[in-house]
Amino acid sequence: MSTVFDNNTKPAWCPGCGDFGILNAVKKALTELGRAPHQVALISGIGQASKLPHYLNCNVFDGLHGRLLPAAQGVKIANKDLTVIAVGGDGDNYGEGGNHFIHAIRRNVNITLLVHNNQVYGLTKGQASPTSDLGMVTKVQHDGVLLTPFNPMAIAIALDCGFVARSFAGNPAHLTDTIKQAVNHNGFALVDILQPCVTFNKINTYKWYRERVYDIGKEAGYNPSDRLKAFAKSLEWGDKIPIGLIYKKDKASYIDSVSVLQDKPLVNQPHQPEKITDLLAEFV
């Protein structure tokens, strides 16, 4: 698809990679939300997933491995008028950036986190990641993965994250709609995206996911505000995997709670260095 967000850079991903579906869904979601490129900032760390901002025409920042969330929160606090999306992989966010993931949920700054969850480290050729299933054999884990997989859905709901959703790179319409909901959420929004890695993960393929995923939004009587039921859904994995909005709670965001952020964005507020000088003088 062609949108104002295209920058005509050819992606350096393997043919058939799930990242292509996510890239298209991000462009479509932002277009349908009526955003212009100058109104959007995409922040990433290191990894194949973190290349996504390279292929978009908007404000971008590519930082350190696992450190995308501190940068994304800083951008949003400095300019609350921007639509800020952090994007990275399961290793980037749940491994190297695991501590930032937990505290970003607690801080509840109005940003969207898109996690390309392919259950391997793709950039470094297929080692097990925090979300690899038990027993998965890789070039490094010859005897299979021995560690219990990290469950981002359960962790986020346990921390009372205001928006917890999962989607699938092989379902463009569902993914686009989920991203739009996340961007519109007032507070921190997590979208964990099942993203087949066609080169280094021969188990969790498009076919494997299509045989298992189901849209929780079509399940009669499911209420995403019921935290206990949402937590139970977060534990489903294997024969049945729910996608859609699993948990939602409206609560005050960080931006709503800090008085200096209530008026105009920090970047548009007067520069008053004399106030800092006076404060520093008290400590001299």
Side-chain angles (χ1 to χ4, degrees):
M1 65 176 295
S2 177
T3 75
V4 294
F5 290 95
D6 287 331
N7 69 2
N8 299 316
T9 301
K10 184 179 179 181
W13 292 323
C14 303
C17 175
D19 287 341
F20 286 100
I22 300 172
L23 174 63
N24 288 335
V26 170
K27 290 191 290 188
K28 188 173 183 184
L30 291 172
T31 302
E32 291 182 0
L33 287 169
R35 299 300 198 275
H38 73 278
Q39 297 172 316
V40 177
L42 259 73
I43 315 298
S44 65
I46 298 295
Q48 293 289 3
S50 292
K51 294 178 181 176
L52 186 143
H54 303 181
Y55 312 131
L56 285 171
N57 172 38
C58 63
N59 303 293
V60 302
F61 178 86
D62 200 3
L64 300 175
H65 202 1
R67 305 295 182 258
L68 62 163
L69 286 175
Q73 291 169 95
V75 170
K76 185 66 179 184
I77 290 169
N79 189 351
K80 66 177 183 177
D81 288 347
L82 283 175
T83 294
V84 179
I85 299 175
V87 58
D90 42 303
D92 202 23
N93 283 284
Y94 305 145
E96 285 80 0
N99 192 47
H100 295 305
F101 175 70
I102 290 170
H103 292 283
I105 292 173
R106 289 183 57 236
R107 195 164 291 115
N108 200 29
V109 177
N110 314 37
I111 63 174
T112 298
L113 172 62
L114 305 180
V115 181
H116 301 213
N117 187 353
N118 59 16
Q119 299 178 260
V120 293
Y121 281 92
L123 185 68
T124 48
K125 314 306 180 190
Q127 301 91 340
S129 82
T131 56
S132 298
D133 287 328
L134 280 171
M136 180 180 180
V137 175
T138 76
K139 288 184 289 187
V140 175
Q141 286 76 26
H142 294 269
D143 296 325
V145 172
L146 304 175
L147 307 181
T148 301
F150 183 87
N151 185 330
M153 303 285 98
I155 294 291
I157 294 168
L159 291 170
D160 207 20
C161 179
F163 187 99
V164 183
R166 178 190 280 134
S167 192
F168 172 42
N171 188 336
H174 186 276
L175 179 55
T176 300
D177 181 64
T178 304
I179 293 173
K180 288 166 63 178
Q181 291 183 59
V183 170
N184 282 332
H185 176 71
N186 184 41
F188 183 86
L190 166 66
V191 183
D192 184 77
I193 305 168
L194 304 174
Q195 176 248 311
C197 175
V198 297
T199 301
F200 297 110
N201 187 340
K202 302 297 186 184
I203 299 172
N204 309 106
T205 62
Y206 286 98
K207 180 177 183 294
W208 190 92
Y209 284 122
R210 288 194 172 108
E211 291 173 348
R212 289 164 173 80
V213 298
Y214 70 96
D215 187 349
I216 199 170
K218 297 179 180 178
E219 188 171 270
Y222 184 74
N223 179 1
S225 67
D226 187 325
R227 193 176 178 192
L228 289 179
K229 288 185 179 177
F231 191 79
K233 286 295 180 185
S234 75
L235 301 180
E236 284 190 8
W237 186 263
D239 293 337
K240 292 183 66 180
I241 302 174
I243 60 173
L245 179 56
I246 294 178
Y247 181 62
K248 189 173 192 304
K249 180 177 181 179
D250 294 324
K251 55 184 181 180
S253 71
Y254 183 84
I255 301 289
D256 296 332
S257 304
V258 179
S259 59
V260 74
L261 301 176
Q262 299 308 305
D263 191 12
K264 59 182 67 174
L266 286 182
V267 293
N268 294 332
Q269 295 188 22
H271 180 53
Q272 297 174 303
E274 67 277 8
K275 289 189 174 181
I276 296 294
T277 304
D278 293 343
L279 280 174
L280 289 176
E282 297 179 13
F283 297 96
V284 177

